Amino acid sequence: MSEKYSLNWDLDVFFPGGSDSPEFQRFMENLEEDVDGFHRRIRQLEGTSATDVRSLEEILNTLQDLIARLDESGSFIECLTSQNTKDEQAKFYRARLSQVGAAFNSAMTRLDRLFLQMSDSEWASFLQSPKISPIAFFLKERRRWAAEKLPPEMESLAGDLSVDGYDAWGDLYNTIVGRMIIPVEEGGKTQELSVGQASNKMTSSNRELRRQVFHRSGEAWEKEEELLAASLNHLGGFRLNLYRQRGWDSVLKEPLDLNRMSEATLNTMWEVISQNKQPLLRFLDRKASLLGLHKLSWYDVSAPISREESHVSYDEAAEFILEHFRRFNPEMADFAKGAFDNRWIEAEDRPGKRPGGFCTNFGVSNQSRIFMTYSGTADNIGTLAHELGHAYHQHVMTDLPVMAQQYAMNVAETASTFAESIVSDASIRQAPTEERRITLLEDKIQRAVAFFMDIHARFLFETRFYEERKKGLVSPDRLKELMLEAEKEAFCDGLEEYHPHFWASKLHFYITGVPFYNFPYTFGYLFSTGLYGRALQEGPAFAEKYVDLLRDTGRMSVEDLAQKHLGVNLTRPDFWQEAVNLVKADIDEFLKLTEKA
């Protein structure tokens, strides 16, 4: 598969020996001690004047160091549990880090109270201090959120209880997925596939194989649906109870706060998308026709329209990405080359890995690691570029204070999707034949289907699930009904067969750190599409503007970010419609090229 670039990442550079690393054991012990010390120092400060600026500055220096070390340990553990879902020692560390995180959050809650005790004039003066002003946005955000939460003692108790409650229910998903086997018959042999390997089969040109994998996977999820429904219900119940105690009426308040965006922006984005789904339906109809079908089913949506199984080696994919990153920005290409050369990427196709892909940052080492399962498809190349975009985003911010690097998920998806666009457009431009051009266009439009329809279905499902969860537990059968209703609405009844167990199969519904792990993807996709449109208009000069925008993502709201760097108002439909128009242009080209097919 690869001769030049390794398919396996290097984790030993952080802590040799993986989950058995003595160095990591010591790192965790020191982290635990220092978090306890941090907590004691804040308690001592509570007995003095909250306007002791020098003491607060020292506290904040310690805080930034602890954030970086928590990121370092969290990323290492995530890498270990992802590369081997049966790594029991890594799971032990995950639980241990959860305890450390709860203690840290408890200390942060006390620190927030110190900020709240300061008068507005004292607070304004404090933020103007030369050592504090670079992280003022983060601190103002913390103070505002603290004012909307429970008293510190109650918030600390909720955090402590979440370790073996809230977070534990989220961990259950990984345990279940790690033991699941999907039996699939291919080439006269039965293979036992992991969930991630089965997912890769859904892009096969063999419809019978796709259908088999889809239904076998559904059977596997059905066997686990009671446990997964319990997990989802208790995650939702915990959130709703905590929100109720805080006096929060909307389940969207926390995800919107975390993504630094207003509900007006979110609503405008979805309204523009909903008004522009007809071109996507025409695309789906044309794709069905090309596949010889009356209507697509869920397992056909990501299927290739070409019967030829295209396969690109990992080395070829890497070189292609590097070439086109370089055309946009040589510094971006140099960074990506370093990621390949220094083994920042885990891409081997093997059993025992968790499904999906991600990029995680090591806060102390100032490195990233990328996880995926590479099998040579065009979609894999896009995923690889996507995750490298995440890593580049973090790279351009490494010289900023740690608190100024804390960007939200929605703008993180902006950088990744932008990188993916660079590569996909290059592939289309350089297509050697019209057939190949059609195939690549279809792959690009497919992402719009995912963000405008699939993720819209997830958002609709989750919104409605919470409304029902307020009244009591939601049964597996009702979860399936809610999922089907959401899918049919989001896809405008455009499919023949849907995925009733999607609520069970999607990791994102079980992530405790970020509720509503869906709409930020669509925001990032559309926002980056708008950015990419500007890049096409302005040429190489845009690269510097792009980096400046990325560097600001951790220190302003998305509305302010768009206003400062693009001069647009995200609560109005204009920018979103401009971005959607670029998607519609791709669809028009696809429909034109396939008229005679």
Side-chain angles (χ1 to χ4, degrees):
M1 178 74 82
S2 177
E3 295 180 358
K4 183 175 182 180
Y5 300 116
S6 174
L7 288 161
N8 303 113
W9 54 21
D10 176 14
L11 300 182
D12 283 349
V13 69
F14 305 118
F15 304 104
S19 56
D20 295 323
S21 169
E23 287 88 345
F24 187 58
Q25 170 70 19
R26 287 194 293 272
F27 186 89
M28 287 294 294
E29 290 171 353
N30 291 335
L31 181 60
E32 288 166 337
E33 291 175 5
D34 291 346
V35 167
D36 286 343
F38 177 65
H39 206 162
R40 287 195 302 271
R41 183 71 184 94
I42 292 175
R43 287 199 297 268
Q44 292 169 359
L45 204 58
E46 286 175 332
T48 63
S49 170
T51 56
D52 184 349
V53 173
R54 179 171 296 179
S55 294
L56 282 175
E57 287 178 349
E58 292 174 358
I59 284 283
L60 292 174
N61 284 335
T62 301
L63 171 59
Q64 295 197 88
D65 173 68
L66 289 175
I67 291 174
R69 289 161 65 189
L70 284 164
D71 284 348
E72 189 91 355
S73 55
S75 292
F76 187 65
I77 293 168
E78 183 178 21
C79 289
L80 293 176
T81 57
S82 298
Q83 71 177 7
N84 178 9
T85 58
K86 296 182 174 15
D87 189 333
E88 296 302 323
Q89 181 64 25
K91 293 176 186 177
F92 165 78
Y93 274 125
R94 183 171 61 197
R96 185 173 171 183
L97 182 63
S98 186
Q99 295 277 3
V100 178
F104 175 77
N105 289 333
S106 179
M108 287 293 292
T109 300
R110 288 182 174 274
L111 181 59
D112 291 339
R113 180 165 61 180
L114 291 179
F115 295 151
L116 282 173
Q117 289 173 351
M118 299 171 72
S119 69
D120 289 345
S121 60
E122 288 173 333
W123 180 247
S125 176
F126 174 63
L127 294 181
Q128 290 173 4
S129 165
K131 294 182 179 179
I132 301 303
S133 59
I135 55 175
F137 175 80
F138 179 91
L139 296 177
K140 286 190 286 187
E141 187 175 60
R142 291 285 312 184
R143 190 174 188 249
R144 176 174 61 81
W145 288 354
E148 299 171 341
K149 292 184 177 181
L150 296 167
E153 293 79 7
M154 294 182 70
E155 287 289 344
S156 294
L157 177 61
D160 290 343
L161 293 176
S162 72
V163 174
D164 291 309
Y166 183 54
D167 292 332
W169 284 111
D171 288 342
L172 179 62
Y173 174 89
N174 293 319
T175 301
I176 294 170
V177 170
R179 74 183 188 187
M180 285 177 65
I181 296 295
I182 316 293
V184 173
E185 296 172 10
E186 186 177 9
K189 297 180 181 179
T190 299
Q191 304 177 64
E192 293 189 339
L193 304 180
S194 67
V195 171
Q197 288 177 310
S199 178
N200 275 338
K201 297 291 184 183
M202 297 307 291
T203 58
S204 169
S205 63
N206 184 334
R207 188 172 197 248
E208 288 307 311
L209 177 61
R210 295 196 307 272
R211 179 158 45 191
Q212 178 197 171
V213 171
F214 176 76
H215 288 293
R216 291 282 176 86
S217 296
E219 291 166 3
W221 291 115
E222 187 169 8
K223 289 178 182 176
E224 305 288 358
E225 67 178 18
E226 288 188 9
L227 275 176
L228 290 164
S231 174
L232 193 62
N233 271 287
H234 292 311
L235 286 170
F238 184 97
R239 279 181 185 144
L240 288 171
N241 278 316
L242 185 59
Y243 293 170
R244 180 172 54 83
Q245 294 294 332
R246 289 172 175 169
W248 296 357
D249 295 329
S250 173
V251 294
L252 287 173
K253 175 174 172 47
E254 184 179 27
L256 286 170
D257 281 349
L258 290 173
N259 283 284
R260 294 168 176 152
M261 65 186 288
S262 68
E263 191 165 1
T265 293
L266 178 64
N267 290 338
T268 300
M269 181 189 78
W270 282 131
E271 286 168 7
V272 171
I273 288 171
S274 296
Q275 292 165 5
N276 286 274
K277 286 190 176 179
Q278 282 305 312
L280 284 173
L281 289 174
R282 290 195 291 273
F283 163 76
L284 292 176
D285 286 343
R286 180 61 57 83
K287 180 169 181 174
S289 176
L290 292 170
L291 292 174
L293 304 172
H294 170 67
K295 214 172 189 180
L296 297 180
S297 288
W298 187 275
Y299 47 84
D300 299 316
V301 172
S302 299
I305 54 176
S306 172
R307 296 294 298 177
E308 296 178 3
E309 294 278 5
S310 63
H311 182 277
V312 180
S313 74
Y314 185 68
D315 285 348
E316 290 170 332
E319 294 299 342
F320 188 81
I321 289 169
L322 293 174
E323 176 189 350
H324 295 288
F325 276 9
R326 190 167 303 283
R327 291 186 180 184
F328 171 67
N329 183 354
E331 292 181 4
M332 187 175 177
D334 290 343
F335 166 79
K337 182 68 162 60
F340 285 114
D341 288 340
N342 295 312
R343 296 177 56 202
W344 285 19
I345 305 165
E346 169 56 50
E348 186 179 7
D349 187 353
R350 67 171 188 275
K353 293 172 68 172
R354 58 152 273 193
F358 64 80
C359 174
T360 188
N361 177 57
F362 286 73
V364 176
S365 306
N366 285 329
Q367 294 186 22
S368 296
R369 286 297 181 271
I370 289 166
F371 177 89
M372 65 174 297
T373 299
Y374 188 87
S375 60
T377 66
D379 183 62
N380 288 162
I381 301 170
T383 297
L384 186 53
H386 182 100
E387 302 304 341
L388 283 165
H390 279 305
Y392 180 67
H393 187 176
Q394 182 60 44
H395 168 71
V396 301
M397 302 179 76
T398 51
D399 64 319
L400 298 176
V402 171
M403 289 182 188
Q405 297 181 35
Q406 307 303 302
Y407 53 87
M409 176 184 168
N410 53 350
V411 287
E413 291 308 315
T414 295
S416 55
T417 310
F418 189 94
E420 194 173 350
S421 295
I422 291 173
V423 171
S424 64
D425 269 13
S427 300
I428 293 167
R429 286 195 308 271
Q430 295 185 12
T433 64
E434 184 174 287
E435 181 182 3
R436 184 61 181 157
R437 183 178 180 85
I438 291 171
T439 300
L440 293 170
L441 258 177
E442 186 270 340
D443 183 68
K444 184 183 180 186
I445 299 166
Q446 199 61 51
R447 290 194 286 280
V449 173
F451 293 118
F452 292 179
M453 292 176 152
D454 183 351
I455 289 180
H456 196 194
R458 303 179 203 182
F459 177 78
L460 293 172
F461 164 79
E462 199 158 12
T463 305
R464 293 163 186 174
F465 161 71
Y466 277 107
E467 287 305 309
E468 296 214 6
R469 184 63 183 86
K470 290 176 183 178
K471 304 169 189 174
L473 296 175
V474 186
S475 70
D477 285 344
R478 183 56 183 152
L479 288 169
K480 285 181 278 191
E481 289 175 0
L482 288 173
M483 194 75 253
L484 285 173
E485 289 168 7
E487 288 171 354
K488 289 178 180 178
E489 180 177 338
F491 280 85
C492 305
D493 288 321
L495 302 181
E496 186 169 55
E497 186 176 358
Y498 294 88
H499 191 347
H501 279 101
F502 190 79
W503 63 270
S505 69
K506 198 62 189 176
L507 162 68
H508 294 172
F509 293 130
Y510 300 85
I511 293 176
T512 56
V514 184
F516 278 83
Y517 204 100
N518 43 61
F519 71 79
Y521 278 109
T522 300
F523 176 96
Y525 171 76
L526 260 191
F527 190 61
S528 75
T529 300
L531 276 176
Y532 189 66
R534 299 291 177 95
L536 293 176
Q537 293 172 12
E538 299 182 26
F542 187 77
E544 185 176 346
K545 294 182 183 179
Y546 176 65
V547 170
D548 289 342
L549 181 145
L550 293 183
R551 286 173 59 81
D552 273 343
T553 50
R555 46 192 180 188
M556 59 182 60
S557 70
V558 294
E559 288 83 9
D560 289 343
L561 190 73
Q563 189 64 56
K564 175 181 176 180
H565 293 280
L566 302 173
V568 298
N569 181 349
L570 294 184
T571 65
R572 298 188 58 80
D574 311 59
F575 173 80
W576 301 113
Q577 187 62 55
E578 288 176 14
V580 168
N581 288 343
L582 292 174
V583 177
K584 290 167 72 174
D586 285 335
I587 294 173
D588 288 343
E589 183 179 0
F590 176 83
L591 294 175
K592 182 179 179 180
L593 289 172
T594 56
E595 276 177 348
K596 299 176 183 178

